[in-house]
Amino acid sequence: MIKGVFFDVGGTLYSYNQYPAVMEFVCQQVALRFSLSNSVSELLGELLIATKKADRQLAMEPFYLFEHYFETICRGFLSAVTTTPNADDVIWCKTVMEQTLLNSLELKPDCHETLTSIKALGLYTSVVSNSDIHQLDTLIKRNHLAQYFDHITSSEAAQACKPDRRFFELALDKSGLQAHEVLFVGDSVEQDIAGAKAVGLATVLIVEEGMITPMHVGGTEVDADYTITSLTELLSLLPEQPNA
């Protein structure tokens, strides 16, 4: 019987629907800072290339900081569209990208309602998120989500990133639950679903129409046990009286 639900955050509780606009904004700011004549479309193409290179470099590493991830993207992007960027340029670009993306994430409209219903069932709930500590803290505090979770863990705190099994094992240790008692909800087949299934968790893939999961690099892909398009649908997969 399912006794706990673990959640990813970006793409799961929060929507990435503003991600394309964020990338365009970064390109606009770079064009202004360096007085570039390139069109936003041209710059966007280079930014996407740099992002894919960073994805391939880091996505399957057992641990990395997202601060480093954004720096890697910006270093590659600026090197492609400007003269060799200095350290200040890279840090500036990293800050613009990270903060704009963080500020753009929108809580899914059924998030509070769904989490309230899950807690009313008496289920253990947890956040298991690939993010640096300050990023995750910002998202949890922004919409008062802490009240819904028994524990919240970032990859920085765990010193492991999904799909590395150490992150999932740490979350299980904190919960005191067995793997077969937990349902993991995430938006990434490669990181969330593959990683959770490898340690024996039941899995739910949440899909948002038109969205491409970040850091998709063609790694290990498996079928989720369930697929949903809204958080509310999760309730139909849970026992009505888990502690009976």
Side-chain angles (χ1 to χ4, degrees):
M1 177 179 288
I2 296 299
K3 296 182 180 180
V5 186
F6 293 178
F7 291 89
D8 171 52
V9 174
T12 301
L13 302 181
Y14 279 87
S15 171
Y16 281 127
N17 62 3
Q18 294 301 311
Y19 182 74
V22 169
M23 299 294 270
E24 289 190 10
F25 178 78
V26 171
C27 291
Q28 291 167 353
Q29 296 306 300
V30 167
L32 288 172
R33 181 178 177 94
F34 296 97
S35 301
L36 300 178
S37 59
N38 311 64
S39 69
V40 170
S41 178
E42 291 171 335
L43 293 174
L44 185 58
E46 294 293 345
L47 179 54
L48 292 175
I49 290 171
T51 300
K52 281 299 182 184
K53 287 181 178 178
D55 290 349
R56 288 192 293 270
Q57 178 180 337
L58 296 174
M60 293 300 144
E61 290 292 322
F63 174 64
Y64 53 89
L65 289 173
F66 274 81
E67 181 177 21
H68 181 215
Y69 172 65
F70 289 121
E71 285 182 10
T72 301
I73 293 173
C74 286
R75 186 173 295 106
F77 175 43
L78 295 182
S79 295
V81 301
T82 71
T83 56
T84 303
N86 61 41
D88 288 342
D89 292 331
V90 173
I91 295 302
W92 167 83
C93 179
K94 183 270 297 186
T95 301
V96 170
M97 177 175 286
E98 179 183 4
Q99 290 302 314
T100 305
L101 179 59
L102 198 60
N103 292 338
S104 76
L105 294 178
E106 298 177 350
L107 192 72
K108 293 189 175 180
D110 55 352
C111 183
H112 281 292
E113 176 186 356
T114 301
L115 293 176
T116 297
S117 296
I118 290 173
K119 292 308 295 181
L121 292 172
L123 293 168
Y124 186 98
T125 53
S126 169
V127 162
V128 182
S129 173
N130 275 0
S131 57
D132 294 353
I133 291 171
H134 76 279
Q135 296 162 352
L136 184 56
D137 284 350
T138 297
L139 293 174
I140 294 299
K141 291 176 182 177
R142 181 185 298 167
N143 285 286
H144 310 290
L145 298 182
Q147 62 185 310
Y148 300 110
F149 297 106
D150 294 285
H151 87 254
I152 296 167
T153 308
S154 69
S155 53
E156 181 181 5
Q159 293 290 286
C161 290
K162 297 175 291 185
D164 189 81
R165 66 182 299 118
R166 291 177 301 158
F167 199 175
F168 296 95
E169 290 169 345
L170 173 64
L172 284 171
D173 287 344
K174 285 186 175 183
S175 71
L177 298 174
Q178 299 298 308
H180 68 272
E181 296 175 320
V182 174
L183 199 61
F184 190 94
V185 187
D187 70 310
S188 169
V189 174
E190 295 180 35
Q191 297 172 347
D192 296 319
I193 305 305
K197 292 202 82 167
V199 296
L201 279 64
T203 55
V204 181
L205 178 68
I206 184 165
V207 177
E208 187 171 2
E209 186 177 356
M211 291 294 102
I212 298 175
T213 305
M215 301 191 82
H216 183 91
V217 296
T220 302
E221 295 195 16
V222 297
D223 292 328
D225 296 298
Y226 308 96
T227 299
I228 59 177
T229 58
S230 69
L231 288 168
T232 304
E233 294 175 58
L234 182 61
L235 300 177
S236 67
L237 307 177
L238 301 174
E240 293 185 3
Q241 294 180 304
N243 297 323

